[in-house]
């Protein structure tokens, strides 16, 4: 069982780390580390990871040995579970949003409700007689022990209250929203129901069975832990997906466009004077793409004195004659003119006396779209003939 909960803890910790690694703050947009929603999401997921880490039998045994108190891991785990439940409420409050005063008030109420619960768990454990160490079946073994019984019921009720509240909020809010947010709410609802049925009801049934003189311990020891791990992972996916997926798609598109600009960059990069940013390897795909766009624009400006209208017009006529549409013919002609200019500049030729004043399509708009089109045209016509000689690629210095 330790392996299952350790894997769950690792997955949750990884989710929190990925979510916290967000782009730097920009004007009008705070850093991820200063966003209440991001912070509350990371805190909730990290607390979930710590709960699973502490609930593993190996960890419980280590904590008990370290403190010298049998079953000390129980109030530690149940207190953290209550804190995790509180963090889920706070996360839902920040996610739903609203007037700042109302959000602040709801957060304070959540803390006021679960803070005493954590204290009560510790006090009840201190009053109880729990000298026999139990690593996997503490809930059922001490189900009839004074004070331990109340501690077990309290932590279960606290967790159940959050689960029910989450389910209600997800159902109501899910009717008002669409897209990824609705998908995330549905995942949270599924995780909450799975936690309620697979973990909490199993625990309740096993404890009540002990109260009535029956033995359903397997529900608590074998069924509940993996169900809790699965439910926590599904809930975390629901919280994280609406926030990470758009960024992940943006990163993927940035990486795709960055790579698609390779033919253009390898052709013109040798004349670019754009300074390379520090720690380039640590930058996100979007940041790398932005730097490459700036560097290519700088190179195109440097090559402008070598642009030859004659080369462009001959390539344009040839492209139109091949049946290309006007836009594609223009991009093909500009690619041919650029290839010729790069060849002349690489050969240390003199700039033209009357260079072209034609404005490249790639320089007209913002974004990487125009540059990607130019790069694709260069790639498709690699080795294209301009004026009777073959252009050659130039490696970046």
């Amino acid at each position: 069982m330790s392996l299952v909960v350790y894997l769950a803890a690792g997955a949750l910790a990884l989710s929190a780390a990925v979510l916290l690694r967000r782009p730097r703050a920009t004007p009008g947009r705070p850093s991820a580390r200063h966003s209440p929603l991001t912070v509350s999401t990371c805190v909730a997921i990290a607390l979930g990871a710590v709960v699973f880490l502490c609930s593993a039998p190996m960890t419980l045994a280590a904590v008990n040995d370290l403190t010298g108190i049998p079953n000390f891991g129980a109030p530690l785990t149940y207190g953290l579970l209550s804190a995790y439940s509180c963090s889920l409420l706070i996360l839902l409050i920040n996610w739903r949003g609203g007037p700042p005063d109302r959000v602040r008030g709801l957060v304070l109420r959540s803390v006021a409700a679960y803070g005493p619960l954590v204290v009560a768990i510790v006090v009840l454990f201190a009053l109880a007689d729990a000298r026999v160490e139990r690593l996997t079946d503490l809930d059922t073994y001490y189900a009839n022990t004074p004070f331990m019984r109340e501690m077990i019921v309290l932590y279960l009720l606290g967790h159940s209250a959050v689960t029910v509240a989450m389910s209600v909020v997800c159902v109501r809010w899910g009717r008002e929203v669409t897209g990824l947010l609705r998908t995330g709410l549905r995942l949270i609802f599924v995780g909450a129901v799975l936690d309620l049925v697979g973990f909490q009801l199993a625990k309740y049934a096993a404890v009540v069975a002990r109260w009535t003189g029956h033995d359903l311990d397997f529900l608590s020891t074998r069924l509940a832990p993996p169900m809790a791990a699965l439910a926590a992972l599904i809930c975390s996916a629901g919280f994280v997906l609406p926030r990470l997926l758009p960024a992940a798609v943006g990163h993927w598109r940035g990486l795709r466009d960055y790579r698609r600009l390779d033919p253009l960059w390898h052709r013109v990069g040798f004349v670019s004077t754009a300074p390379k940013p520090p720690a380039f390897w640590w930058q996100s795909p979007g940041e790398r793409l932005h730097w490459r766009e700036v560097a290519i624009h700088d190179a195109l400006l440097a090559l402008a004195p070598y642009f030859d209208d004659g080369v462009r017009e001959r390539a344009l006529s040839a492209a139109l004659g091949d049946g290309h549409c006007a836009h594609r013919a223009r991009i093909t002609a500009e690619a041919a003119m650029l290839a010729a200019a790069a060849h002349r500049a690489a050969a240390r030729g003199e700039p033209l006396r009357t260079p072209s004043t034609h404005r490249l399509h790639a320089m007209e708009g913002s974004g990487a779209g125009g540059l990607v089109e130019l790069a694709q045209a260069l790639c498709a016509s690699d080795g294209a003939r301009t004026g009777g000689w073959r252009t050659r690629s130039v490696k970046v210095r």
Side-chain angles (χ1 to χ4, degrees):
M1 189 176 70
S2 293
L3 178 60
V4 173
V5 293
Y6 283 150
L7 289 176
L12 292 174
L14 180 61
S15 300
V18 171
L19 184 60
L20 194 59
R21 172 72 177 111
R22 299 296 297 278
R24 298 183 181 90
T26 57
R29 186 186 71 180
S31 164
R33 293 173 177 81
H34 296 89
S35 167
L37 179 55
T38 301
V39 171
S40 58
T41 304
C42 291
V43 168
I45 296 176
L47 276 175
V50 174
V51 168
F52 281 111
L53 181 65
C54 291
S55 65
M58 291 177 58
T59 306
L60 291 174
V63 170
N64 295 339
D65 291 341
L66 183 64
T67 59
I69 302 174
N71 301 310
F72 183 82
L76 175 64
T77 301
Y78 297 158
L80 286 171
L81 179 61
S82 299
Y84 171 62
S85 299
C86 181
S87 70
L88 290 177
L89 276 181
I90 294 173
L91 172 54
L92 279 177
I93 293 168
N94 282 320
W95 202 9
R96 188 66 188 265
D101 291 340
R102 180 175 179 274
V103 171
R104 191 180 304 109
L106 290 174
V107 169
L108 291 177
R109 289 179 191 175
S110 301
V111 174
Y114 279 88
L117 177 60
V118 174
V119 175
I121 288 173
V122 176
V123 172
L124 287 170
F125 176 78
L127 295 174
D129 182 7
R131 302 176 185 178
V132 180
E133 183 181 59
R134 311 301 297 185
L135 300 180
T136 59
D137 62 346
L138 181 139
D139 291 345
T140 51
Y141 185 85
Y142 288 107
N144 292 306
T145 302
F147 301 114
M148 287 292 286
R149 174 182 56 232
E150 288 76 11
M151 182 191 75
I152 294 167
V153 172
L154 268 182
Y155 97 79
L156 286 173
L157 288 177
H159 191 53
S160 297
V162 169
T163 305
V164 173
M166 285 174 54
S167 302
V168 172
V169 170
C170 289
V171 171
R172 291 181 178 176
W173 194 8
R175 296 170 183 168
E176 305 172 6
V177 297
T178 59
L180 279 177
L181 182 53
R182 174 180 285 184
T183 301
L185 291 172
R186 288 176 176 174
L187 285 173
I188 296 170
F189 178 75
V190 170
V193 171
L194 184 61
D195 185 277
L196 181 63
V197 175
F199 174 74
Q200 296 169 39
L201 289 184
K203 289 283 187 178
Y204 285 126
V207 171
V208 172
R210 280 287 184 150
W211 291 350
T212 58
H214 298 84
D215 185 353
L216 294 178
D217 289 9
F218 74 94
L219 293 176
S220 177
T221 58
R222 298 182 183 178
L223 177 64
M227 290 299 99
L230 181 59
L233 290 175
I234 294 175
C235 281
S236 297
F239 284 121
V240 172
L241 182 65
R243 308 211 64 216
L244 281 188
L245 189 57
V249 171
H251 285 332
W252 180 83
R253 289 175 177 171
L255 182 60
R256 179 198 61 186
D257 288 343
Y258 179 84
R259 290 177 175 174
R260 291 170 73 182
L261 288 177
D262 278 346
L264 178 57
W265 175 242
H266 288 303
R267 188 64 66 91
V268 305
F270 71 101
V271 297
S272 177
T273 59
K276 192 172 182 178
F280 186 69
W281 63 273
W282 182 245
Q283 289 184 318
S284 68
E287 292 169 329
R288 292 189 181 191
L289 175 63
H290 177 70
W291 177 84
R292 177 161 283 190
E293 289 180 56
V294 171
I296 289 177
H297 276 290
D298 181 74
L300 294 179
L301 291 174
L303 289 174
Y306 297 92
F307 287 168
D308 189 340
D309 270 332
V311 172
R312 181 179 58 81
E313 290 170 0
R314 288 194 296 272
L316 179 63
S317 299
L320 291 173
D322 290 339
H324 295 314
C325 66
H327 177 73
R328 184 177 177 184
R330 176 186 175 181
I331 301 301
T332 301
E334 290 175 351
M337 181 177 68
L338 177 61
H343 178 89
R344 186 181 182 92
R348 302 187 182 279
E350 293 294 327
L352 300 178
R353 292 183 179 179
T354 55
S356 172
T357 57
H358 175 79
R359 183 173 176 81
L360 297 177
H361 170 70
M363 304 286 282
E364 291 179 347
S366 59
L371 293 176
V372 169
E373 285 185 300
L374 186 59
Q376 290 177 326
L378 277 173
C379 187
S381 61
D382 190 26
R385 299 180 181 279
T386 54
W389 45 267
R390 187 179 299 273
T391 62
R392 61 183 178 88
S393 298
V394 181
K395 294 184 179 180
V396 183
R397 293 187 298 182

